[in-house]
Amino acid sequence: MNNKKTYLTLLIILVIIAVFGLKTIFKNIPGSSQEIIQTEQITTGDDIKVTFLELGSKGCIPCDKMQPIMEEIEKEYQGQVEVIFHDVKTPAGKPYIKEFGIRAIPTQVFLDKDGKEYFRHLGFFPKEEVVKVLQQQGVE
């Protein structure tokens, strides 16, 4: 009887270790959204100082108002800022809801050159304010 309890306890511990171990392994699989962001930064050059992510949806009024601002930022700061839009209401964009903890759209997430988030904003974000956030990372 005691041996059965011991084996059962060991089995439970092994299952717990396996589940948490697999979770860590799957989180770091190439092609995950974090990997994609880093790959995009690498392929655009070493001068990228900021990745400006917009998480929103087509047809959302504040999201649509952000589109011209994102286009201007992309043109004016080409080579320094990578601008990426994820439509979180599409199958391709849904994983970013969980990855970035999106509670409302639009959400702007700013990543430094190492891919670490340094600023986040919810809602419409005027261009002047976006520029101030970019300048925090040396964007000129």
Side-chain angles (χ1 to χ4, degrees), residues 62-76:
C63 302
D64 290 344
K65 287 184 178 182
M66 286 300 301
Q67 292 299 315
I69 293 171
M70 292 167 46
E71 290 170 11
E72 289 176 29
I73 295 293
E74 188 170 36
K75 286 177 187 169
E76 291 175 28

Side-chain angles (χ1 to χ4, degrees), residues 29-135:
I29 289 177
S32 69
S33 52
Q34 185 65 31
E35 181 70 23
I36 291 167
I37 291 168
Q38 291 173 353
T39 302
E40 289 173 359
Q41 289 178 344
I42 291 168
T43 59
T44 57
D46 292 332
D47 296 334
I48 297 297
K49 297 176 182 174
V50 175
T51 300
F52 169 23
L53 294 169
E54 169 83 1
L55 298 119
S57 180
K58 304 273 185 201
C60 155
I61 294 171
C63 302
D64 290 344
K65 287 184 178 182
M66 286 300 301
Q67 292 299 315
I69 293 171
M70 292 167 46
E71 290 170 11
E72 289 176 29
I73 295 293
E74 188 170 36
K75 286 177 187 169
E76 291 175 28
Y77 299 98
Q78 185 176 6
Q80 294 185 77
V81 178
E82 178 77 19
V83 178
I84 301 171
F85 174 78
H86 293 297
D87 188 334
V88 298
K89 291 195 177 179
T90 65
K94 281 192 189 251
Y96 297 105
I97 294 171
K98 184 176 180 183
E99 180 178 345
F100 290 100
I102 302 305
R103 298 176 303 167
I105 58 173
T107 296
Q108 298 82 30
V109 178
F110 296 83
L111 308 174
D112 66 16
K113 65 182 179 182
D114 298 320
K116 305 277 188 238
E117 181 176 335
Y118 74 93
F119 191 85
R120 175 181 293 237
H121 181 268
L122 301 175
F124 177 78
F125 203 29
K127 181 181 175 187
E128 309 80 51
E129 298 301 315
V130 171
V131 170
K132 288 178 187 176
V133 172
L134 298 175
Q135 290 172 341

